[in-house]
Amino acid sequence: MPERRIAVCDLGSNSFRLVVFTAADTWWRRTDEIYEPVRIGAGLAETGELSEDGIARGLATAEVFAHFCQASGIEEVDAVATSAIRDARNAHAFLDHAALPVRVLSREEEARKGYLAAVNSTTLADGAVLDLGGGSMQLVRVRSRHATELQSWPLGAVRMTERFGLGEGTASKKALRALRDHVASELQDAPWLPKAGQRLVGIGGTVRNLAAAVQRAEGVPEFGVQGFEISRGALDDLVARLADLEPADRGRVPGIKPARADLILAGAVVIQTVVELGGFDAVEVTEAGLREGVFFARHIGGEPPLFDDVRRRSVLNVAGQYHVDPAHTEHVAHLALGLFDALAEAGLHPGHARERELLWAACLLHDIGVTVDYDDHHKHSRYLVFNSGLPGWDQREVALIGQAVRYHRKGMPDLGGFDALMRKGDAAVLDRCALLLRLAEDLERSRDQLVRDVDVGLDGDTVTLTLRADGDVRVARWAARREGVLFRRAYGRELAIA
Amino acid sequence: MPERRIAVCDLGSNSFRLVVFTAADTWWRRTDEIYEPVRIGAGLAETGELSEDGIARGLATAEVFAHFCQASGIEEVDAVATSAIRDARNAHAFLDHAALPVRVLSREEEARKGYLAAVNSTTLADGAVLDLGGGSMQLVRVRSRHATELQSWPLGAVRMTERFGLGEGTASKKALRALRDHVASELQDAPWLPKAGQRLVGIGGTVRNLAAAVQRAEGVPEFGVQGFEISRGALDDLVARLADLEPADRGRVPGIKPARADLILAGAVVIQTVVELGGFDAVEVTEAGLREGVFFARHIGGEPPLFDDVRRRSVLNVAGQYHVDPAHTEHVAHLALGLFDALAEAGLHPGHARERELLWAACLLHDIGVTVDYDDHHKHSRYLVFNSGLPGWDQREVALIGQAVRYHRKGMPDLGGFDALMRKGDAAVLDRCALLLRLAEDLERSRDQLVRDVDVGLDGDTVTLTLRADGDVRVARWAARREGVLFRRAYGRELAIA
C-alpha cells in the first residue's frame, strides 16, 4: 500500500487546526500540523452570533488551510466544524465563503469522534469518555467498546469561563459553586453517568494540561501524558490551588500552558464535577482527540471502526514506522516468548500474561533506536519508546518496556528513576524481560533465524538451553554465554547452553 | 546506488572488534558491531610471543566473526591485525588457522589508517595525528591534509602499563618519570614533532576516556566527545589526579570506563608526553579510528581518499540518513542563506562566513526529528544533532546548530545550558540563525518551493521582505508574520512582508 495522506481540519471554537495524517500498510502517524488561535467563538455566549472579526479570522485561516493542502498535494481533506459554528445563528456567513467544504458535526457526531479517539487509543471497554473543548463538552457511555449514549452540552471551557466570570481575579467560592451547580443541573440529562462503571477517559487540551500539572506536582518522571491517570484527590488539590491564583499566575503553574491560563480553572471544575457525579476514581488521559477520531473513522475498517487490539496495534505501529529488520525482530520475539513459556512451565517464574505481553513489546521495539545511531542504540530505543507514548499501555508499562529495551545489550537492568510508577515485584519483572530479550537477541545475533527454537531443561541448580538449529550455532552460543550473571540474578540458577 | 555493507574486523592487541559499515549514495553509518576483549597481546612484552590461551581466544573469536558475516550475508570483509599480531614471533600460529583472511598492517599502514580517520573526521590540515592503542602508538605529520611522516612505536597503553608497573598501587613519581623519559627517548625518531604546528588530533579509547573525564570534571554538558578539546592544563590535572589513585579507583573517576582502569594512567602519560614534546596546547578528540580509516580507504575515492569538505559531508551524511523531504530542506537553506546575504548587504549584521555555515547546517537538519515524531520534532531534531556528533564541527558549533534547530518553530531561542561552550556574541548568533531558519521555513511552509526568492528592503526602522513567486503566497505570508518579535530582538527593526 502506498502512503496515503489525509488532512483533517478541526475548526473549533477556540482554535483552528490542520493535521496531516500519513498512513502506510503497517503504520500511521501525524506528519504535519498548522495551528491558528482563531477564537471564532469569542463573544458567542453573549450574542449568539459569530463576530465579524471572528468570521474574518476564520475565513483567512480556512484559505491558508486550503492553499496549504493544494500546494502540498494533499487531495483527501476532511474539514469539520464543532460547537461555535454549529450553534451560531449566522454560521452561514462563515460556511458560505470558506475556501474548504466544511462538515458541521452534530452534537452526537462530535461526541462520536471523541469516542472513536478514546476507544482506539486506550483499553477502555466499559465506562465513559469525556471530551472537553472550548465550546462544548461531550460525554459518551461505552459498553463492550460500543457507544451506547452520545451526548453534548454547551459546557466548554471558554463558555464556562465567560459565563461564570472565572477569567479575572481569584475565584470566589460562590462562583465555583455556581459553576458546579450549573454542570450538575445540565448533567441531569445523563442519568446513566453514575452507573457507567469505573473508568473515565478524558480528551482535550484542558485534560492534557491538568495531567501535566499533576505530573509536575507529583514529581513523576515524564514522557508525555498519554496513559497518565489523574486521581480524584490530585484533581481536587489542583482545582483548589488554581482557584487561589490570579488567572495570569495559573499559567505559571508548571504544566499549565500560559495560553490556557484564563480557561484552565473553569475547565478543571467542569471535569471535577463529572468525576464526582459519575463516582469515578480518576481520569485516564489520552492524547488522541477529535482529529484522530475523524482520521480513525476513515482509516480503520468496520462499524464501528475499532482496532482489534489497541495495545498490539500501538506496538506494531511504532515498530512499523521505524521498520528495522522485521524478520529479525519477530524472530527475537518468537525466541523470547518461547523461553518465557518454557521457564514458566518449569516453575521458574509466574508466567503472567501481562508480563509476557511486556516482553513481546520490548522485543518488537528493542532495535528501533538504530534509526538514530548504532552507537548507544539501546538508549535511543528507549527515547523513541518514551516519545511514542504507546496508546493503550499505562505509564508503568511504558517505563518497563523502555527500561527493558535500554538493557537489551548489556549492563544490569534498573528502574531508571521510574520507581514512583512501579509496583512491588517490578524490578524482578524488568530483570526477566531484559534477560529474556537479551538471550533471544544473542541467539539471533547473526540475524539469520538459524536458531529456530530453544528447549529448556532444569537439572538441580542449572538451567540448560538446548538450541534447535540446522547449522552451526557458534555465534549464538558465543553471544549467549555472557548472560550467566543476569540469569542468576533473575532466576537464581546457573545458565548452560548446550 | 544500493546499500553496500562492509565488515571491518580490527584484530587489536587488547580487543577484537567487528564493525559493519553501511553506505548508500548520500550517507554512510555504522550499523552493527561485535566486541570481544580477546587480549591476544597479553604477556607479549615479556615473551615476544602470543600465549596459547591468547591464540585460542583469538581463533574462537575470528570464527565467530567469520560465521557472523556469512550468516548475515556480508560479502565484503576486511580483517586487519595490528601491533600484537604484527610483532609476535609466533603470529603464524594464529594467522594460519584464522577463519578469516587477515591482513597484517605494517606500522606505516596502521599509522595511515589513523591519519585517514582523523583527516576525514576533523578539519585538520596542518599538524599531527596521535593514535594510541593497546600495543602501539602512531604519530603522523599532516601538511595540507597529506601525511608526510607516518611512524609507529611500541608505546601502547597495555605495554607501557606492564613495562612500568603502573597497573598496581598508586604510581610513584619515579615510575612516571621513567615512562616519560622512555617515551621522550623513543620520540627522538620524530624530530619533526615540535615543528608540526598547532593542532594535534587524538584517536583511540584512551583519548576518548580522558576527554569524557575532563568533560565531567569541567561540568561541560555532554553529547559525546567528538570535537572536544582536552587542554594541556586539563590533561596535566587529570594525570596528577589519576596517579594518586589505586588502579581500581581510577575506573571510578567519572568518564573513565572501569574496564580501562588499569591502563588509563600509562596511556594518559604517553599522550601528555607527546603534547609536551610537540608543544601543543590541546588534543582534539575524534571518535573515528582505525576501523573508520579502513572503511574510508574503501569508500572514498581519490589518493589519498579524502572528503573534499568534512564539515559539509558530515551534515549531508546526517541529512541523508534521515532523508526528510530533501527538496523542502534544500529550499529552506536557499531562502535562509539568501536572507542572510541580503541582511549582511544591508549592513544589519556582520555576515561572517562561519555563521552562514552554521545557518546552512541548521537548515539542512531542522526537520530530521520528524523521523522520531511530528509532535515536538524540533526537540527530536536537536537530540539527533547532538547524537550524530557532526565530525568536523566543534562542540560549540554543534550546540549552536542544535539550539537553532530546537527553536525553528516557536519560542524564544536560548543557549540551553551550553553557555560554558559559548563565546561572547553567541546568543546573538543563535538568535539570527534561529530567526532566519524560521523565516525560511515560514516562506516554504507549504513545502512546494512556491516562494523562489526574497528581496530585502530597509526603510528607516522597517525591514521589508518582498516575496518573489509565481503564485498565491498566502500561506507564506500568513506563516511569516509571526516572526516580528524575534526579528526585533535579533535586528532591532520592524519586519514587514510585502
Side-chain angles (χ1 to χ4, degrees), chain A residues 284-492:
Chain A
E284 297 171 39
V285 183
T286 180
E287 291 183 357
L290 178 77
R291 297 176 284 275
E292 280 73 19
V294 172
F295 168 70
F296 289 147
R298 303 179 77 103
H299 177 64
I300 310 175
E303 186 46 48
L306 299 180
F307 290 128
D308 283 340
D309 181 334
V310 171
R311 291 157 68 87
R312 195 174 167 78
R313 177 52 44 200
S314 285
V315 171
L316 293 173
N317 191 26
V318 174
Q321 284 173 50
Y322 300 108
H323 198 77
V324 178
D325 200 346
H328 166 69
T329 303
E330 280 157 29
H331 198 63
V332 166
H334 165 76
L335 293 172
L337 296 177
L339 286 166
F340 182 90
D341 294 340
L343 289 162
E345 185 99 349
L348 287 170
H349 66 193
H352 292 310
R354 280 280 165 131
E355 183 175 327
R356 191 177 192 276
E357 208 188 353
L358 286 172
L359 174 59
W360 171 80
C363 289
L364 257 79
L365 301 177
H366 74 282
D367 264 352
I368 58 177
V370 299
T371 316
V372 175
D373 196 3
Y374 183 81
D375 285 352
D376 282 340
H377 73 259
H378 48 295
K379 294 183 191 169
H380 303 317
S381 292
R382 176 173 61 176
Y383 177 87
L384 297 181
V385 165
F386 288 171
N387 277 288
S388 75
L390 291 182
W393 301 78
D394 68 28
Q395 297 216 320
R396 164 186 164 268
E397 293 171 321
V398 176
L400 284 169
I401 295 167
Q403 290 304 103
V405 152
R406 160 69 181 81
Y407 288 100
H408 88 264
R409 297 172 75 195
K410 55 192 178 183
M412 279 315 209
D414 69 53
L415 294 173
F418 296 106
D419 305 65
L421 293 170
M422 296 297 161
R423 301 185 195 148
K424 192 159 174 276
D426 278 350
V429 170
L430 174 62
D431 272 2
R432 290 192 291 266
C433 285
L435 168 66
L436 297 183
L437 166 55
R438 260 150 93 146
L439 269 174
E441 173 86 335
D442 293 334
L443 299 178
E444 170 56 5
R445 188 65 188 83
S446 49
R447 299 174 165 267
D448 58 351
Q449 295 85 57
L450 177 68
V451 175
R452 284 196 320 276
D453 282 293
V454 182
D455 294 323
V456 173
L458 173 60
D459 182 9
D461 252 9
T462 300
V463 173
T464 302
L465 308 186
T466 307
L467 312 188
R468 284 201 266 150
D470 292 322
D472 182 343
V473 295
R474 197 184 303 262
V475 176
R477 191 176 289 128
W478 167 85
R481 95 211 124 103
R482 61 185 70 185
E483 310 305 351
V485 177
L486 182 54
F487 195 90
R488 212 170 302 124
R489 186 165 101 170
Y491 292 105

Side-chain angles (χ1 to χ4, degrees), chain A residues 151-222:
Chain A
Q151 289 178 273
S152 176
W153 295 262
L155 294 172
V158 174
R159 286 202 206 198
M160 293 304 98
T161 300
E162 289 181 3
R163 177 158 175 172
F164 292 89
L166 293 170
E168 282 162 39
T170 56
S172 70
K173 288 222 165 110
K174 197 173 147 194
L176 292 177
R177 193 170 322 114
L179 171 54
R180 282 196 188 100
D181 290 347
H182 176 67
V183 174
S185 137
E186 292 276 315
L187 291 184
Q188 288 184 346
D189 288 351
W192 54 268
L193 190 59
K195 299 171 282 185
Q198 297 299 310
R199 296 179 63 181
L200 176 67
V201 171
I203 284 179
T206 301
V207 169
R208 292 196 300 271
N209 270 247
L210 294 173
V214 171
Q215 285 183 325
R216 301 286 182 92
E218 293 182 352
V220 176
E222 287 163 63

Side-chain angles (χ1 to χ4, degrees), chain B residues 220-233:
Chain B
V220 176
E222 286 164 61
F223 35 89
V225 296
Q226 179 69 43
F228 183 75
E229 291 191 11
I230 309 172
S231 72
R232 190 165 166 172

Side-chain angles (χ1 to χ4, degrees), chain A residues 20-93:
Chain A
V20 181
F21 293 94
T22 301
D25 51 350
T26 59
W27 56 269
W28 65 270
R29 66 194 302 186
R30 274 185 286 180
T31 50
D32 212 335
E33 181 162 342
I34 299 182
Y35 167 85
E36 183 70 10
V38 172
R39 296 212 166 187
I40 200 169
L44 177 69
E46 216 167 316
T47 65
E49 298 204 333
L50 306 176
S51 69
E52 259 184 57
D53 282 2
I55 291 171
R57 288 193 302 269
L59 289 174
T61 304
E63 287 209 41
V64 167
F65 286 8
H67 192 80
F68 175 86
C69 292
Q70 194 186 2
S72 36
I74 301 173
E75 287 169 11
E76 201 171 340
V77 182
D78 196 346
V80 299
T82 52
S83 171
I85 294 172
R86 177 171 63 228
D87 297 345
R89 271 197 308 274
N90 64 339
H92 61 89

Side-chain angles (χ1 to χ4, degrees), chain B residues 22 26 29 115 142 174 235 270 286 370 406 451 456 486 491:
Chain B
T22 301
T26 59
R29 65 193 303 186
Y115 147 75
V142 177
K174 195 173 148 194
L235 181 58
V270 172
T286 181
V370 300
R406 160 68 182 82
V451 175
V456 173
L486 182 54
Y491 291 106

